[in-house]
């Protein structure tokens, strides 16, 4: 029995040591689980923040793209309106130049207004009798 008791005496401190480390192990396991839970929470939160920031960035780029498209469309419409107005102005300028010609004025006066054309009167000058 002395051998048995020696083995038992040797196992007793080991059992007691094992008994004391069991709560420490449980505490370490709980701490590890808490750290893992915090890490998972941090991963989820950071993923959500990244998703929101990405969505905001895409939204901003799309809004700026739409604004640029709208401005380009307005610019194109304005350029076509300017070109059309320049064509109208050129046409009106041509009509004004045609209407300013003396032959046209005389034609309108005689044909439309029924005015009579008389030959110009020559008034002689006193100097040389012309």
């Amino acid at each position: 029995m002395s051998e048995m008791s020696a083995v038992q005496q040797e196992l007793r401190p080991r059992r007691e040591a094992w008994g004391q480390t069991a709560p420490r192990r449980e505490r370490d396991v709980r701490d590890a689980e808490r750290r893992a839970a915090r890490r998972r929470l941090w991963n989820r939160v950071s993923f959500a923040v990244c998703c929101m920031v990405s969505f905001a960035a895409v939204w901003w780029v799309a809004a700026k793209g739409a604004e640029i498209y709208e401005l380009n469309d307005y610019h194109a419409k304005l350029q076509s309106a300017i070109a059309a107005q320049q064509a109208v102005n050129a046409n009106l300028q041509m009509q004004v130049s045609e209407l300013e010609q003396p032959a046209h004025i005389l034609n309108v006066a005689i044909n439309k207004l029924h005015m009579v054309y008389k030959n110009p009167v020559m008034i002689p000058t006193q100097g040389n009798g012309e």
Side-chain angles (χ1 to χ4, degrees):
M1 259 210 151
S2 67
E3 284 183 26
M4 188 71 146
S5 65
V7 171
Q8 287 176 350
Q9 287 177 0
E10 188 178 319
L11 288 177
R12 180 177 283 169
R14 289 184 183 174
R15 283 185 199 156
E16 290 173 358
W18 182 262
Q20 289 173 357
T21 58
R24 185 176 293 155
R25 282 185 186 170
E26 290 175 9
R27 190 176 36 217
D28 290 344
V29 168
R30 278 184 273 146
D31 289 343
E33 288 174 358
R34 285 182 189 148
R35 283 192 299 271
R38 285 186 195 136
R39 196 175 308 120
R40 283 192 303 268
L41 178 64
W42 170 250
N43 287 342
R44 289 176 183 164
V45 168
S46 64
F47 180 74
V49 168
C50 287
C51 286
M52 286 189 287
V53 168
S54 298
F55 180 76
V58 168
W59 187 271
W60 183 78
V61 167
K64 287 297 176 185
E67 185 178 338
I68 290 170
Y69 178 79
E70 184 180 343
L71 288 174
N72 283 339
D73 187 47
Y74 178 72
H75 179 72
K77 288 178 182 178
L78 201 56
Q79 288 294 329
S80 65
I82 288 171
Q85 190 62 45
Q86 286 175 341
V88 168
N89 288 347
N91 187 19
L92 290 174
Q93 191 66 31
M94 187 180 70
Q95 288 178 2
V96 165
S97 66
E98 288 176 1
L99 292 174
E100 284 179 340
Q101 294 178 358
H104 179 73
I105 294 171
L106 186 60
N107 185 21
V108 169
I110 292 173
N111 294 330
K112 289 185 180 178
L113 300 175
H114 306 291
M115 293 183 166
V116 178
Y117 179 74
K118 293 193 175 188
N119 290 334
V121 177
M122 298 290 273
I123 301 174
T125 58
Q126 294 181 357
N128 46 359
E130 290 181 24

